[in-house]
Amino acid sequence: MMTVEELLAKYAEGEREFKQIDLRGADLKGADLSGVNLTNADLTGADLSEANLTGANLYQTKLNSAVLLQANLSHLEGNYIKLNQAVLNNVNFKEAKLSSADLSQATIENADFSFANLTSANLSFALLSNTNLSNTDLRSANLTNADFSGAKLTGADLRGAKLKDAYLKSVQMQKVDLSSVDLSYLDLMKSDLRGANLQDANLLRSILQSANLESAVLIGANLIRAKLDGANLQKANLTNANLYGVTTKNTNLNMAIMPDGKRYQPKSNEK
């Protein structure tokens, strides 16, 4: 079993290959390990707070319950990495490759995943408050019960994602792609969905009160019994959408394209 001292000494000498090493519980706070190859290594419970792992290869690396406060993992090669129950507050994951990564039950506050690849990743029950997921690829990701309080998902691709019981209230989701995604029963109150792609999405009984859906694409969407009170659907496209039983008190439908393909015409008593 390699010690932390041995690892750092070999790294300082120019060595970068440390595949399958066992560093469970290691203290690597502040370590500079940029470009290191830790494929299949076991760092379960390790402390990598403020460590520099820019461009590192952590393919299938075990970091379960690890602490990585303020670590830099930008441009990481981290497909299949194990980070469940890890503490990842203020971590830089910008442009990281995290396909099929396990981040279930992780604490991920104020982190930056912008432009990262999280396709098929498991983020179920993760706390993602105030995290930046702008332009992140989350296709087919498991986001069940994930908490996105204050998160930013602008331009993210969520096609095929599982969002059952996710917390998305007041979240920034401008131009997000949620086409054909199941959003039934979700609370999206006050969320910013301007320009979002919700074509063929299932919004059955969803709560969209005071949400901003200006210029959103809702072609063929299922909005049966959705709550749209106070929502802004100005210039939204609702062609072939199912609006049976929706509530629309104080809803702004100005210039919206309605299910019949025609522009919204306010009733005489609404003018």
Side-chain angles (χ1 to χ4, degrees), residues 21 102 139 181 201 211 247:
I21 63 169
D102 185 359
R139 285 175 296 166
V181 173
T247 59

Side-chain angles (χ1 to χ4, degrees), residues 2-130:
M2 184 178 290
T3 66
V4 170
E5 291 74 20
E6 290 171 336
L7 168 68
L8 296 177
K10 287 179 179 294
Y11 182 89
E13 293 170 358
E15 179 65 48
R16 294 294 181 268
E17 298 296 318
F18 299 97
K19 297 178 182 179
Q20 300 181 326
I21 63 169
D22 187 343
L23 283 170
R24 285 173 288 176
D27 185 350
L28 287 161
K29 287 184 288 187
D32 183 359
L33 295 168
S34 57
V36 73
N37 187 351
L38 290 165
T39 297
N40 287 307
D42 191 348
L43 286 93
T44 301
D47 190 345
L48 288 137
S49 297
E50 300 181 9
N52 181 8
L53 289 155
T54 306
N57 188 341
L58 298 180
Y59 177 79
Q60 289 189 331
T61 302
K62 294 179 182 177
L63 282 156
N64 307 324
S65 302
V67 179
L68 292 98
L69 298 171
Q70 299 181 46
N72 187 352
L73 282 80
S74 59
H75 302 278
L76 177 75
E77 294 284 344
N79 295 340
Y80 294 95
I81 192 172
K82 308 296 182 185
L83 284 160
N84 57 301
Q85 297 186 332
V87 180
L88 304 167
N89 297 343
N90 298 292
V91 173
N92 181 0
F93 281 107
K94 190 171 183 179
E95 297 186 52
K97 295 178 181 177
L98 295 160
S99 181
S100 300
D102 185 359
L103 294 108
S104 57
Q105 301 181 64
T107 302
I108 316 171
E109 299 182 270
N110 298 296
D112 186 357
F113 284 92
S114 56
F115 296 95
N117 183 348
L118 283 155
T119 53
S120 301
N122 184 0
L123 289 130
S124 58
F125 294 92
L127 175 60
L128 292 149
S129 57
N130 300 309

Side-chain angles (χ1 to χ4, degrees), residues 152-206:
K152 187 175 182 180
L153 284 153
T154 303
D157 191 342
L158 288 144
R159 287 174 293 171
K162 297 178 182 177
L163 285 155
K164 182 177 173 58
D165 296 322
Y167 186 90
L168 291 161
K169 192 173 180 179
S170 302
V171 174
Q172 294 182 51
M173 291 190 285
Q174 303 98 312
K175 296 184 178 179
V176 71
D177 194 341
L178 287 160
S179 53
S180 300
V181 173
D182 186 0
L183 300 164
S184 57
Y185 298 92
L186 288 183
D187 188 348
L188 294 154
M189 183 183 289
K190 296 183 179 180
S191 289
D192 190 344
L193 287 150
R194 283 175 292 171
N197 184 359
L198 290 152
Q199 183 167 343
D200 297 318
N202 183 8
L203 289 149
L204 173 70
R205 292 184 181 274
S206 59

